[in-house]
Amino acid sequence: MKDYQADYNSYWKEPGRYGQTSYDNVENLAGVIIKMCGAGTLLDAGCGMGVLVRELSVRGIQAYGMDISDYVIGYSRRINENYFKSGSILNIPWPDCSFDTVVCTDVLEHLQKEDIAKSLLELYRVTRRFVFCTVSTQNDRDNRWHLTVEKRDWWESQFFQAGFRKHTLLLRQVGYEQLENETGSILLVFEKLPGAAVERYSLQDLAKERDLHMDMLRETGRRADAHIARYTAALRYIRPHDIVLDVACGMGYGSAVLWDGSNAQKVIGLDVSASAFEYASANYLPGRQGLSFEEGDAQKLERFTDNSVDLIISMETIEHLEEPDLFLKRALEILRPGGRMILSVPNEWIDEHGCDPNPYHMHVFNLDKILELVKKYFFLEQVYGQTAGGGLKLADQPRRLFAYSDSSDGCEAEWYIVVAMKDPVTREKPYVETVLWQREHYPKNHPHHYEKVYEYPWIQHALVSLGWRAQSRELIELIGQRILAQAPFDSADRGAALCILGYRILETTTPQAEHLEEIIEKIYEYTSLKPVTPMQVRWSISCLYLLAQLYLKSSRRTEAADTLKRCLELDYLYFSPTLATKAVSAALQLGTLSLADGHILEARVWWKKAIYEATRAFEVPWENWLGDVEEPLTFGLKEASQVLDMASQATYALWLTAENKNLRTNGMQDILEFSEMSRLKWLSSTTIELKKSNKESKDTVKWLESQVASWQQTSEEKEKMVIELQRWIGELTKGEQWLKSQVKSWMETVDQKDKEIIELKEWNHSLAETKQWLEHQVKSWQATAAEKEQIIKELKSWSEELVTGNRWLEEQVMNWQKTVETKERKIAELQAKIKE
């Protein structure tokens, strides 16, 4: 048996080896591992000097390291003794199922071929779910260390034999077309099959039904890649919280791809085959709570109620059905408005006799036939073509998946993938919000309760919401025109449609003059109305901002500036602070226009306005940005970051144009090109990273390079503009002193007027206070007079009573006096008698 430990102790002691890693960018590698395998415990088997383990630990992953070389493990144990062990991948020193993920980067190719199977069984033993590997497919520079040099197909077959299947999202990371010409290091990511499923469903048993059903995550080669690529491509059409139905799901691998790669609420796999249902349930349900499988007939779909599903996917099904129309008609009924249907069909798979050799196919489709059928029920959104090579048709073609309408070479396809949408312009179905939130009782006063603010609320996510709306320009324009024809003239729906259609024209490099003028006229008419509801305010502001951009596109600067000012007159807070992006951008753009006209002081006023609007946006409670913090709106803080970014541009412009600073040409260039230069730097750095890591597709790199070249060309054009500006500034320099003196005089006059205004304001304030005091005194006096009047009345009443009482008392006194006199006479008489 080969002594790997001795070899690799010697390897690490060689000059230049110590401190090396097999990957160029450990941060990128750690990010990919977390993206594909998630959190949990992790073992880096063959960790070298522990660089990846420490990077994952920094990101919160509980990561351990193991290496055959006790020499390098000694180094890592001095940093953290408890997380590193010396050990062989042929006998990993941890118990069964110790880790959620095991990572092997450039390790397996260093084993002799006869040791590969044992190493993979060890990986299967210690992992609970994933194995993440990179292996080299070519000899090393010394032609010594790589003992097993094989291509992807060979390695995948070895992992399948050990009880693994391909990771559901491998092609989202690697890229379908990238598989065509892999060289150097390749990425292999696998998921551990449940033990019972491995025993019950062997690869040999699967091969028996391969012509009808196959688990493509347990098969290598072009056919399997093509099937997985179709499901991977469908992920871009799944919106948050969608209910997704995978019709004729077969053995369930595609349904698992849809669940793992999306934020769907549910993914339901449906198939008429009981054996396929049993296989899918045993192999793909564990660990996937929102995934389910059912037995059912694709032509009936009787289990689903109308208006209950958001996306129906049916890969290579319709050619198996006796009556495809029944299937599409029923699919239309159970889809919600704006919901999607994704179909794939083989393109005229026929033999030399003109017959489909597959005995299970009941129809032969070409592009015209499938489109004719789909358009009877749905709006067409997109068509893709796909080739894989090596099969019945176009056997010499490479792996390729392309948007058919954008194909420049007219390439024929082996399969067509059709994406279609149910008409969203309807009032017939009650609206249910599922994309932004999932809870039934979300705060009802939120401006994004679309059923309250739209005539046709289903258009929000079919037409408006970026990232979720229709991805076809033609379909967006079709829906927009239908809304213009049907919605009330002052409705929010019309504003949304005008905005969407206007941006399509704005983004056109060479728009037709009549189309430009037509949309300008329609938007002007709409924005001339007085908005009442918050959503009408939202679309009025957005349309005004768009109208200004359309004016600029047609070189109508005065109208553009006036329209931007109108945009600032409407209060975006009546709708939501997220709309501050338009207000701040409008003020920022007004400043740029003023600067370009040479009016620096005016430009500074507008930049201050931009900062003021940004400040105002952040004075509102945070619920206005986030919604309910228990299930926050995901776009709120993204909009907030854009507001802050634009405010930072305004502050930079104010800094450059502050008093006692001479605005240089490069300062003007910085202001005019702030965002453009930022994007150029980002594109350049992104291209460098893509080239370095070689992890993205070549098409993406070419696109980015073309973008960088485009921006560089734009930069050169701007340089020419700068030269012109320098000449222009030179001419203006002659009048600079006069302007400064005039400005100084104006400023002194303004200061004097400001003082007078302040004095007048103070006097006016004093008068206002005096008036207020007098009004208060009058009211006080009036109240006092009323009280006195009441007292007088009471006193008069009391006086009259006192007079009456006084008369009565006088009469009483007189009576008592008479009585006393009588008594005194009697007493005198008695005394006289007594004396007698």
Side-chain angles (χ1 to χ4, degrees), residues 171-186:
L171 290 191
R172 191 160 72 173
Q173 185 62 40
V174 174
Y176 174 62
E177 296 179 9
Q178 186 179 328
L179 296 173
E180 191 63 28
N181 295 301
E182 287 189 310
T183 58
S185 182
I186 63 172

Side-chain angles (χ1 to χ4, degrees), residues 122-155:
E122 275 295 279
L123 295 178
Y124 183 91
R125 181 182 66 81
V126 298
T127 189
R128 285 191 286 269
R129 190 159 189 196
F130 297 114
V131 171
F132 182 102
C133 299
T134 60
V135 297
S136 178
T137 59
Q138 60 191 30
N139 286 322
D140 60 279
R141 64 189 183 188
D142 299 332
N143 200 26
R144 170 188 174 188
W145 302 105
H146 293 177
L147 306 179
T148 300
V149 179
E150 297 288 349
K151 301 297 183 183
R152 175 179 293 276
D153 289 1
W154 187 88
W155 283 107

